[in-house]
Amino acid sequence: MRNENLERAEALCLDRMTDPLQHLRTLISRGHLTEAREAVSRLLSADGADSELLLELARIELYEGAWLACVRAASDGLSLGPIGATKMTLYQVRAAALFELREFASCLRDIEKAETLGHLYPHSNAKFYAQVLRAKIAIHQVQLAQGRSMLEALWAATLRDPQLSRDRLLTLSRAEIDFARVTGASPASWAALSLELALQLGDLLYAALARVDLSVSVSGEPVLAASLEADRHTFARVARLLTELETQVPASATATSIRESKSPRALAHKPAYLLLTKHNVLIDVATLRKTDLRKGAQLVNALRALESGPLSKETFFNAIWGLKKFVPRLHDRLIHQCLFRI
């Protein structure tokens, strides 16, 4: 009985300590940053400086695009000698702010520290975010082969998980936007995917950031422009980013990437599937169900052909069946059946 009472007491204590933090993290993840900042201020006033609270404050500053304030909050948290998981995450959050400040050398030092600690927490999101950030630095420094290799390894690791994570898919999709901009490809499809995933997660901030990415990737969309104005008044980070894009003020890494991009504008639509041909996987965006494309060579050929852009029926037919002579009377039905299966 005594042991049972001790366990109950411990559970009650843990509930009281973790519930405010969990509530705070939920507010941040949903983009309710004003409420989150008020909650952090109350907790810091009541409990004094604490590495966990300073980590959440650093996250808020990061979400608001206040890069220097984020670096200060994370540094204050690290100065308190936090435990491993918190220490790792503080390094990762500070690295994300340093990346936007284009302090790539300092950012890499923090990434290395986060990755070293990440060996103790191999499945942690902080380690994953640090690895994606390392790939993004390579991309921004135009080390494209290295950046591409890192992203493919991260895609492979993510796809091996039996339960796909929308958050990780969103993080990788945003990195793919950077890669597309640097290589001159259109990031429109990745931006549309990022918007859909953010909306599914209920992450209002990253949905707004995806709308910014869409606005600079697609042809004029009046509805999108109206949404961006609302986002500008809701999220300080979006307002800062739009101001950087509209003026010549010193720009963050993200704004610089958009400014320097030579990517063409393209059409975008709400994505139903994510096709990763290098990994032979098709993902249903709504359910995250994976289909192994290695089991159907014709299906793979069809999807790869469609992925390449607009094409004639004859080109589509040749890509799938490898036959050079296309006769509509004989082959139209085959094409229709193939498209119906897809």
Side-chain angles (χ1 to χ4, degrees):
M1 178 66 73
R2 183 181 177 187
N3 286 340
E4 183 179 349
N5 288 337
L6 285 172
E7 289 171 359
R8 288 179 178 174
E10 182 182 23
L12 285 170
C13 288
L14 285 172
D15 283 344
R16 291 183 179 179
M17 287 189 292
T18 58
D19 275 357
L21 276 175
Q22 189 57 48
H23 175 63
L24 179 56
R25 288 165 182 156
T26 300
L27 289 174
I28 295 170
S29 68
R30 297 292 184 266
H32 302 303
L33 302 180
T34 301
E35 296 172 64
R37 187 179 290 280
E38 291 171 355
V40 167
S41 297
R42 285 195 302 270
L43 291 168
L44 284 171
S45 297
D47 303 332
D50 174 86
S51 58
E52 288 276 0
L53 291 176
L54 288 168
L55 169 58
E56 302 313 319
L57 177 59
R59 278 194 174 118
I60 292 169
E61 304 293 8
L62 183 71
Y63 270 49
E64 293 200 329
W67 316 123
L68 287 173
C70 174
V71 170
R72 284 195 295 270
S75 298
D76 288 344
L78 287 164
S79 71
L80 297 176
I83 61 173
T86 302
K87 186 176 183 180
M88 172 182 62
T89 309
L90 281 163
Y91 279 128
Q92 176 263 312
V93 170
R94 189 170 71 176
L98 289 167
F99 170 81
E100 292 294 351
L101 290 167
R102 303 176 74 189
E103 297 285 348
F104 294 149
S106 298
C107 177
L108 281 170
R109 284 195 290 271
D110 275 1
I111 288 172
E112 287 168 4
K113 292 171 183 175
E115 287 178 332
T116 299
L117 291 165
H119 291 300
L120 300 171
Y121 311 93
H123 304 295
S124 69
N125 281 336
K127 179 184 178 183
F128 176 78
Y129 297 151
Q131 291 172 325
V132 174
L133 200 53
R134 183 184 286 279
K136 289 178 69 172
I137 289 175
I139 292 166
H140 279 248
Q141 293 181 327
V142 201
Q143 298 169 355
L144 298 181
Q146 183 181 1
R148 184 72 259 162
S149 176
M150 291 177 183
L151 285 181
E152 294 300 346
L154 289 163
W155 276 114
T158 299
L159 294 171
R160 280 196 297 270
D161 194 327
Q163 296 294 322
L164 285 178
S165 162
R166 281 187 173 83
D167 180 72
R168 295 195 176 195
L169 292 177
L170 172 60
T171 303
L172 285 169
S173 297
R174 291 186 59 77
E176 292 288 357
I177 291 172
D178 283 23
F179 189 84
R181 286 191 184 121
V182 173
T183 56
S186 172
S189 60
W190 289 111
L193 177 62
S194 296
L195 176 58
E196 180 63 20
L197 291 169
L199 290 173
Q200 290 176 4
L201 287 165
D203 192 325
L204 303 180
L205 171 62
Y206 276 87
L209 290 171
R211 282 191 285 269
V212 175
D213 290 323
L214 271 174
S215 73
V216 296
S217 305
V218 301
S219 303
E221 291 280 350
V223 175
L224 189 59
S227 297
L228 278 181
E229 280 307 304
D231 293 335
R232 183 196 292 269
H233 292 96
T234 305
F235 300 106
R237 180 165 169 180
V238 174
R240 286 189 172 99
L241 178 56
L242 291 174
T243 299
E244 289 174 341
L245 296 177
E246 294 162 357
T247 65
Q248 295 302 312
V249 299
S252 61
T254 297
T256 301
S257 173
I258 295 172
R259 281 181 182 178
E260 296 178 354
S261 173
K262 298 295 189 291
S263 298
R265 288 182 177 264
L267 297 176
H269 55 83
K270 182 178 177 180
Y273 296 95
L274 170 60
L275 173 63
L276 297 168
T277 53
K278 289 185 179 178
H279 302 278
N280 293 305
V281 170
L282 183 71
I283 299 172
D284 184 313
V285 174
T287 64
L288 298 192
R289 185 173 65 87
K290 293 184 288 186
T291 300
D292 187 346
L293 298 179
R294 289 171 297 184
K295 297 177 181 178
Q298 288 183 353
L299 178 60
V300 174
N301 291 336
L303 290 169
R304 284 177 174 159
L306 293 170
E307 187 185 32
S308 66
L311 69 169
S312 67
K313 287 192 292 184
E314 184 174 4
T315 303
F316 184 63
F317 176 79
N318 292 340
I320 299 172
W321 288 283
L323 302 175
K324 293 183 179 179
K325 188 173 181 180
F326 172 69
V327 181
R329 178 176 55 83
L330 298 175
H331 301 137
D332 273 354
R333 185 175 178 81
L334 283 174
I335 291 175
H336 294 159
Q337 289 176 339
C338 179
L339 291 172
F340 179 77
R341 285 181 59 206
I342 293 173

